[in-house]
Amino acid sequence: MEVEVRRARHALYLRLAAAHAGPLGPALLGHPELAPLYPTAYAACGGAEGLPCAGVGGEPRVCVVRRLEHLARSALRGGKRRRAQEKAMVEGLLVCMAHLQQEFPKEFLPVLEATRRHLEKDLRYLQGELSPEGPVPVP
């Protein structure tokens, strides 16, 4: 059962990373019309308050994708300490998603909201609020 949960979480994070990685990514979440807006939306961010990027900013197409890819790799491994690290990373990504909702064009809200919902559900799993049988379906 634990192996299935790890694989499901791994797949979820790979899919979310792909959804933010390039112009065709939003199509994975049902929004192919956003492809032309991707380069300007994901070009720069001022940095979210409470995160290391605060004030200096970054490129969401790099930092968001790398964090999601890191979570995908981590999900395949076990351990309480690792899950605590993942919990902190998911919480940071939730702060990031809230910040990006203010920075990105409003057309991207459905993509950011879908990402936020999946992160919140995985956070509930990491906090022990959801049972381990399939905590996060792949979007």
Side-chain angles (χ1 to χ4, degrees):
M1 181 55 83
E2 177 67 23
V3 171
E4 293 170 4
V5 171
R6 289 180 190 180
R7 287 181 184 157
R9 292 183 68 237
H10 173 74
L12 169 77
Y13 282 115
L14 285 180
R15 183 103 182 229
L16 288 176
H20 292 277
L24 299 179
L28 293 171
L29 297 175
H31 297 281
E33 73 281 1
L34 297 177
L37 299 174
Y38 179 89
T40 53
Y42 281 80
C45 164
E49 187 69 34
L51 295 179
C53 60
V56 295
E59 293 180 57
R61 66 178 164 230
V62 175
C63 57
V64 171
V65 173
R66 286 192 179 150
R67 288 179 193 179
L68 291 166
E69 288 172 340
H70 177 80
L71 279 167
R73 288 188 303 273
S74 182
L76 288 175
R77 299 192 164 135
K80 288 185 181 190
R81 194 171 88 208
R82 180 172 302 276
R83 295 299 174 249
Q85 292 168 346
E86 290 173 1
K87 180 180 170 283
M89 186 167 269
V90 169
E91 290 169 341
L93 274 166
L94 285 169
V95 170
C96 182
M97 288 299 116
H99 179 72
L100 290 178
Q101 285 180 332
Q102 297 174 12
E103 297 249 331
F104 276 23
K106 67 180 183 317
E107 293 86 357
F108 276 88
L109 285 178
V111 172
L112 297 172
E113 280 294 313
T115 302
R116 182 191 56 78
R117 280 192 312 273
H118 289 291
L119 289 170
E120 286 175 346
K121 190 167 186 179
D122 194 48
L123 181 61
R124 287 194 310 271
Y125 164 73
L126 292 169
Q127 292 171 333
E129 296 174 15
L130 287 179
S131 65
E133 56 270 345
V136 284
V138 177

